[in-house]
């Protein structure tokens, strides 16, 4: 009775605009004797006229609601002004003899540029090789990745359109920016990604390729990635098959060569669950491939010694936080010897020079770098500020160049000289358009349902009262072993200026504490991820940072699934939920092209135990009619090849149909973006402005 009265009262206070109606067309499936009814299956067909009309109606409904917020246009203007003052940032650095290659983000340009520099301390030497904004001024052409030739004179660049990540390989001359006639289609797709590697003479490329029409059934065209070889300035039709016919259907191939160009390594992921096999060959014509590791060996990463004579392997076999092995390049895995044993820190990555081994460690979120000799001896710590993150490492003339990140200081590329044991900031650093001197990052620990301690990183104004009155936004991901390291975002200034607290949680499913932390949050243990996140929300409330009606949560992709599980399992623990490009139907996700790659992370309905776990938390199936759900804002990209936007369509429909709270359930379907990669700056700003307008409204955050 109390729930009915509450629902009637809140419905009476609901927003005036009518929610677009969604027809129910029940379909029943049966899994292991369990019947599951789906009333909105018809919304899966994104090409149908009815679904397009439904999508347009939802976009219009949300647009009307968002644009009627008093400060929506002001927020967008503020964001544009901040980006106009932002300094250029350089990422994805690659070194070649006498040159650095980098992706440069330079607002107000819509897409990143590909540039070269002679040194990280010589900005005057910068030259633009490729500007996608000149190809398409609205920002609808993006670079997925690039690989310079060994001599640095040529660059392979993968380009895709409309955020689709459906990429074609092009070749450019570094000195002039001239594009060669070579164009190779289907080298990249969001399901398995894409990669390329040059021969030592810079005249040929090994590359990944998906099947062409007619080579496999249509349902398999975005699977069965293989390796081909292309000789520069020859017809693509004459390219040679190299390997992959015996790889898994959901193979994700990454190619890498030794410094001398003699050896080619193919790292083959078995979907997205973290299992790898590795295959090796010489780059000279006719050389055979040799498999050196299998999925069960627990080898996550392999790199070559500087002279190519040895392989270094990062292993989690019986060492969930990681250890390093070394073996002859011509040897077998049984020849490998441990040179860096497991420790309390998680080995996240490593890098080799002619004299040194550098290891990037993760310690629950923050990072550190260790320097060792090539045999693993004489360990020392590279000096870095506390609570920093590492956003990339590369070698320059026996020196280490790494990108240092922080919650409260903009990122900078730092140069470490082992001979001097000194770290210096290079000219490649960002300055913030806003001041963060009044902001501090506090690290606390929430206690999850099973007693696990979960790190909670809290960004707040110094002196913030713990009286429960502060609006707070809690963010997390929790999947695939992905680590949430410290990072700086000047957009948060708008949040802080309205009294907000921003929180990042290092929940299970990630890799902050190694492979055990990851595996404790995947497959049938996925519920731990949701319990951790709920515990973090409860921690913020219990500690007095906020209260339920002042708390919002946000996540994307796998984090969108987290949002769906959180709002269905704890509908009264937060006031507002923002879910980007999320997964919500966990029973049918594996039927999507990219969903098949997620089976090794989430599980499959074909397995009875995994089905029970999936069904128990699947957000789409756990929505209850007549429940007072929080305000929810779903965002999805129409060209998303990683997560089918049908998830957001169907979740929107079922939640709008079920909720009785009167809180808005909005959806924004963008035809100008996909999963987020390659999205034009203007679209990013528009999406962010909509999110902030939604959150400000729901949490009662007025401008100061």
């Amino acid at each position: 009775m109390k729930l009915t009265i509450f629902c009637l009262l809140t419905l009476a206070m609901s927003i005036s605009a009518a929610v677009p109606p969604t027809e129910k067309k029940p379909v029943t499936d049966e899994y292991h004797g369990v019947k599951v009814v789906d009333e909105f299956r018809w919304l899966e067909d994104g090409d149908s006229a009815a679904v397009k009309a439904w999508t347009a109606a939802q976009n219009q409904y949300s647009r009307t609601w968002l644009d009627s917020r008093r400060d929506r246009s002001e927020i967008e203007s503020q964001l544009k002004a901040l980006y106009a003052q932002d300094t250029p940032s350089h990422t994805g650095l690659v070194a070649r003899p006498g040159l650095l290659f980098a992706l440069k983000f330079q607002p107000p340009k819509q897409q990143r540029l590909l540039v070269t520099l002679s040194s990280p301390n010589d900005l005057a030497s910068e030259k633009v090789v490729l500007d996608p904004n000149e190809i398409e001024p609205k920002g609808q052409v993006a670079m997925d990745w690039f690989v310079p030739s060994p001599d640095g004179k040529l660059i392979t660049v993968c380009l895709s359109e409309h955020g689709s990540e459906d990429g074609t390989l092009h070749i450019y001359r570094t000195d002039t920016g001239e594009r060669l006639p070579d164009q190779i289609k289907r080298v990249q797709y969001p399901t398995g990604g894409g990669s390329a590697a040059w021969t030592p003479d810079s005249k040929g490329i090994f590359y990944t390729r998906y099947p062409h029409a007619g080579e496999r059934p249509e349902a398999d065209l975005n699977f069965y990635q293989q390796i081909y070889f292309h000789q520069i300035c020859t017809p693509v039709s004459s390219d040679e098959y190299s390997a992959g016919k015996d790889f898994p259907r959901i193979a994700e191939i990454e190619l890498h060569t030794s410094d001398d160009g003699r050896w080619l390594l193919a790292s083959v992921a078995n979907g997205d669950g973290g299992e790898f096999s590795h295959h090796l060959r010489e780059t000279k014509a006719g050389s055979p491939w040799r498999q050196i590791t299998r999925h069960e060996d627990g080898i996550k990463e392999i790199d070559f010694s500087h002279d190519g004579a040895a392989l270094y392997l990062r292993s989690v076999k019986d060492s969930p936080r990681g250890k390093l092995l070394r073996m002859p390049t011509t040897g077998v895995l049984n020849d490998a010897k441990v040179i860096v044993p497991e420790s309390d820190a998680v080995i996240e990555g490593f890098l080799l020079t002619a004299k040194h081994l550098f290891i990037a460690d993760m310690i629950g979120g923050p990072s550190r770098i260790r320097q060792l000799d090539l045999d693993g001896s004489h360990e020392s710590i590279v000096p870095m500020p506390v609570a920093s993150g590492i956003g990339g490492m590369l070698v320059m003339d026996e020196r280490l160049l790494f990108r240092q990140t922080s919650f409260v200081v903009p990122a900078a590329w730092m140069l470490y000289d082992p001979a001097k044991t000194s770290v210096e900031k290079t000219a490649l650093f960002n300055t913030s358009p806003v001041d963060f001197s009044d902001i501090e990052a506090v690290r606390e620990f929430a206690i999850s349902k099973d007693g696990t301690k979960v790190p909670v990183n809290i960004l707040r104004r110094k002196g913030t009262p713990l009286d429960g009155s502060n609006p707070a936004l809690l963010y997390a991901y929790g999947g695939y072993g992905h680590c949430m390291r410290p990072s700086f975002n000047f957009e948060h200034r708008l949040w802080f200026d309205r009294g907000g607290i921003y929180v990042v949680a290092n929940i299970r499913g990630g890799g902050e504490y190694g492979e055990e932390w990851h595996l404790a949050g995947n497959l049938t243990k996925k519920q731990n991820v949701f319990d951790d996140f709920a515990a973090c929300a409860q921690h913020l409330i219990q500690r007095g940072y906020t209260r339920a009606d002042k708390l919002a949560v946000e996540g994307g992709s796998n984090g969108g699934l987290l949002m769906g599980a959180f709002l269905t399992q704890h509908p009264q623990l937060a006031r507002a939920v923002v879910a980007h490009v999320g997964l919500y139907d966990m029973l049918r996700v594996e039927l999507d092209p990219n969903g098949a790659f997620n089976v090794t992370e989430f599980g499959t309905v074909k397995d009875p135990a995994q089905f029970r776990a999936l069904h128990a938390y699947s957000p789409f199936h756990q929505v209850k009619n007549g429940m007072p759900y929080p305000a929810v804002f779903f965002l999805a990209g129409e060209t998303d090849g990683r997560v089918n936007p049908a998830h957001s369509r169907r979740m929107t429909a079922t939640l709008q149909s079920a909720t009785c709270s009167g809180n808005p359930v909005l959806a924004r379907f963008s035809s100008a973006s996909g999963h987020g990669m390659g999205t034009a700056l203007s679209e990013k700003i528009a999406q962010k402005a909509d999110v902030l307008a939604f959150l400000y409204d729901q949490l009662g955050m007025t401008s100061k």
Side-chain angles (χ1 to χ4, degrees):
M1 178 63 73
K2 290 182 179 179
L3 180 61
T4 302
I5 294 173
F6 174 81
C7 288
L8 290 173
L9 289 172
T10 52
L11 279 172
M13 296 185 292
S14 64
I15 56 177
S16 57
V19 177
T22 305
E23 184 179 0
K24 296 181 179 180
K25 302 178 181 180
V27 176
T28 301
D29 298 306
E30 186 169 331
Y31 305 88
H32 308 289
V34 178
K35 292 185 178 181
V36 180
V37 178
D38 179 354
E39 296 179 321
F40 301 107
R41 179 73 53 82
W42 66 275
L43 286 171
E44 286 187 345
D45 185 3
D47 294 328
S48 77
V51 172
K52 289 181 178 180
W54 181 92
T55 301
Q58 289 289 341
N59 275 339
Q60 183 57 51
Y61 169 66
S62 298
R63 190 75 268 142
T64 299
W65 192 96
L66 291 163
D67 289 344
S68 67
R69 301 308 99 181
R70 180 174 56 84
D71 48 4
R72 163 61 180 77
S73 59
E74 176 190 345
I75 297 167
E76 185 164 8
S77 296
Q78 289 176 321
L79 288 168
K80 288 180 178 178
L82 288 180
Y83 274 99
Q85 300 170 55
D86 189 24
T87 51
S89 59
H90 296 76
T91 57
L93 269 62
V94 178
R96 291 292 185 265
L99 278 182
L100 270 179
F101 293 80
L103 295 173
K104 180 182 180 181
F105 179 54
Q106 184 180 341
K109 285 184 176 292
Q110 298 294 311
Q111 294 287 351
R112 300 175 298 178
L113 320 176
L114 178 56
V115 302
T116 61
L117 302 102
S118 62
S119 160
N121 285 315
D122 187 3
L123 294 181
S125 68
E126 184 177 278
K127 294 181 180 180
V128 176
V129 178
L130 175 62
D131 182 356
N133 304 281
E134 294 183 356
I135 300 174
E136 205 294 310
K138 293 183 179 180
Q140 295 305 303
V141 171
M143 284 181 281
D144 300 305
W145 41 267
F146 71 94
V147 184
S149 61
D151 59 14
K153 295 181 179 180
L154 298 173
I155 318 170
T156 60
V157 182
C158 183
L159 299 177
S160 60
E161 300 180 2
H162 308 292
S164 66
E165 300 177 79
D166 186 352
T168 298
L169 198 66
H170 302 265
I171 302 173
Y172 291 84
R173 296 190 186 280
T174 302
D175 55 353
T176 64
E178 174 193 357
R179 189 174 73 180
L180 273 60
D182 310 65
Q183 288 190 34
I184 309 174
K185 296 182 178 180
R186 307 259 318 141
V187 300
Q188 153 82 24
Y189 197 73
T191 48
S195 183
W198 289 84
T199 53
D201 60 5
S202 300
K203 294 181 179 180
I205 307 169
F206 291 92
Y207 64 91
T208 56
R209 201 201 83 176
Y210 292 85
H212 289 180
E215 292 180 350
R216 284 191 180 270
E218 185 176 354
D220 288 334
L221 292 183
N222 294 323
F223 297 89
Y224 294 107
Q225 189 184 57
Q226 297 178 8
I227 304 170
Y228 281 77
F229 176 74
H230 174 73
Q231 195 76 26
I232 303 302
C233 295
T234 65
V236 174
S237 59
S238 62
D239 288 359
E240 301 173 3
Y241 163 81
S242 180
K245 290 180 180 178
D246 55 345
F247 292 171
R249 182 174 186 261
I250 53 174
E252 303 175 22
I253 304 170
E254 185 74 23
L255 301 173
H256 175 58
T257 53
S258 56
D259 289 347
D260 61 4
R262 176 185 173 186
W263 297 100
L264 173 65
L265 179 74
S267 174
V268 183
N270 184 30
D272 295 330
E275 297 176 334
F276 296 87
S277 64
H278 297 85
H279 306 254
L280 186 69
R281 61 161 285 178
E282 291 188 83
T283 53
K284 65 181 181 181
S287 298
W289 285 93
R290 178 168 60 93
Q291 184 168 358
I292 55 175
T293 77
R294 302 183 184 278
H295 298 151
E296 59 269 22
D297 294 326
I299 305 299
K300 295 282 191 175
E301 178 185 3
I302 297 180
D303 200 359
F304 298 94
S305 62
H306 184 70
D307 60 6
L311 296 174
Y312 285 70
L313 307 88
R314 179 167 64 92
S315 170
V316 296
K317 185 77 169 180
D318 303 320
S319 302
R321 299 198 178 204
K323 60 188 174 187
L324 285 189
L325 316 176
R326 185 174 65 180
M327 60 177 273
T329 305
T330 56
V332 295
L333 189 57
N334 285 339
D335 299 329
K337 306 296 183 184
V338 176
I339 61 167
V340 181
E342 184 182 33
S343 69
D344 291 340
V346 176
I347 298 179
E348 193 176 15
F350 65 94
L351 189 68
L352 294 151
T353 72
K355 298 178 181 179
H356 296 104
L357 164 64
F358 292 99
I359 296 177
D361 287 330
M362 169 73 65
I363 310 174
S367 304
R368 75 175 182 191
I369 299 176
R370 284 185 280 168
Q371 175 189 316
L372 305 94
D373 289 346
L374 294 175
D375 62 359
S377 63
H378 298 98
E379 177 182 305
S380 61
I381 305 298
V382 175
M384 285 174 53
V386 176
S388 294
I390 302 300
M393 299 194 305
L394 68 152
V395 178
M396 280 192 59
D397 303 322
E398 198 57 32
R399 294 174 296 171
L400 175 69
L401 188 62
F402 65 94
R403 191 169 188 257
Q404 180 178 299
T405 63
S406 163
F407 282 123
V408 294
V409 178
W413 284 94
M414 313 294 288
L415 193 60
Y416 172 69
D417 188 343
K420 301 177 181 177
T421 66
S422 62
V423 175
E424 299 177 357
K425 181 189 288 188
T426 72
L428 301 179
F429 64 88
N430 290 93
T431 59
S432 174
V434 289
D435 182 25
F436 265 51
S437 62
D438 62 332
I439 304 301
E440 62 182 354
V442 179
R443 188 170 171 85
E444 299 182 2
F445 292 86
I447 306 301
S448 194
K449 186 176 181 179
D450 63 359
T452 300
K453 293 175 64 176
V454 181
V456 185
N457 305 282
I458 303 165
L459 279 66
R460 65 187 189 187
R461 277 183 165 180
K462 297 172 182 176
T464 295
L466 302 186
D467 58 5
S469 66
N470 309 294
L473 179 59
L474 173 61
Y475 183 91
Y477 185 76
Y480 303 101
H482 175 71
C483 298
M484 297 293 297
R485 60 178 60 83
S487 63
F488 182 82
N489 187 344
F490 63 74
E491 291 178 347
H492 293 333
R493 185 73 254 180
L494 275 63
W495 186 255
F496 298 138
D497 285 347
R498 298 204 183 200
I501 294 173
Y502 188 80
V503 185
V504 178
N506 298 121
I507 60 179
R508 280 177 286 186
E512 289 86 350
Y513 289 112
E515 189 67 359
E516 283 184 340
W517 197 249
H518 169 216
L519 297 180
N522 80 342
L523 297 176
T524 58
K525 297 179 180 179
K526 190 69 176 177
Q527 182 59 42
N528 286 333
V529 176
F530 314 136
D531 291 342
D532 287 1
F533 190 72
C536 294
Q538 291 161 344
H539 176 87
L540 295 173
I541 295 169
Q542 292 165 0
R543 288 276 287 122
Y545 282 103
T546 191
R547 58 179 187 264
D549 65 335
K550 284 287 187 178
L551 176 63
V553 296
E554 184 176 18
S557 192
N558 173 78
L561 164 62
L562 173 63
M563 296 301 102
F566 176 81
L567 74 90
T568 52
Q569 295 181 16
H570 304 278
Q572 297 179 346
L573 196 51
R575 168 66 185 186
V577 178
V578 177
H580 302 261
V581 294
L583 301 158
Y584 308 111
D585 182 350
M586 300 309 294
L587 303 186
R588 290 178 61 77
V589 64
E590 63 190 271
L591 300 179
D592 296 327
N594 189 249
F597 289 76
N598 296 321
V599 166
T600 48
E601 176 74 10
F602 296 135
T604 172
V605 296
K606 298 173 184 176
D607 179 281
Q610 292 178 355
F611 160 72
R612 288 192 295 271
L614 290 164
H615 190 216
Y617 71 74
S618 177
F620 180 74
H621 300 95
Q622 295 307 317
V623 174
K624 304 291 192 298
N625 287 325
M627 285 291 292
Y629 287 106
V632 184
F633 187 12
F634 296 108
L635 296 93
E638 295 284 16
T639 62
D640 192 343
R642 293 177 183 258
V643 173
N644 190 335
H647 284 272
S648 294
R649 291 195 292 265
R650 295 166 66 226
M651 190 65 182
T652 298
T654 193
L655 206 57
Q656 286 177 343
S657 172
T659 187
C660 71
S661 66
N663 296 322
V665 176
L666 308 177
R668 186 188 195 279
F669 299 95
S670 171
S671 61
S673 65
H675 201 64
M677 297 75 170
T679 301
L681 176 59
S682 58
E683 176 63 11
K684 290 181 180 178
I685 290 175
Q687 291 181 17
K688 184 66 176 182
D690 285 344
V691 168
L692 288 177
F694 170 77
L695 292 175
Y696 290 168
D697 178 87
Q698 292 304 302
L699 301 187
M701 300 172 69
T702 57
S703 57
K704 301 294 184 181

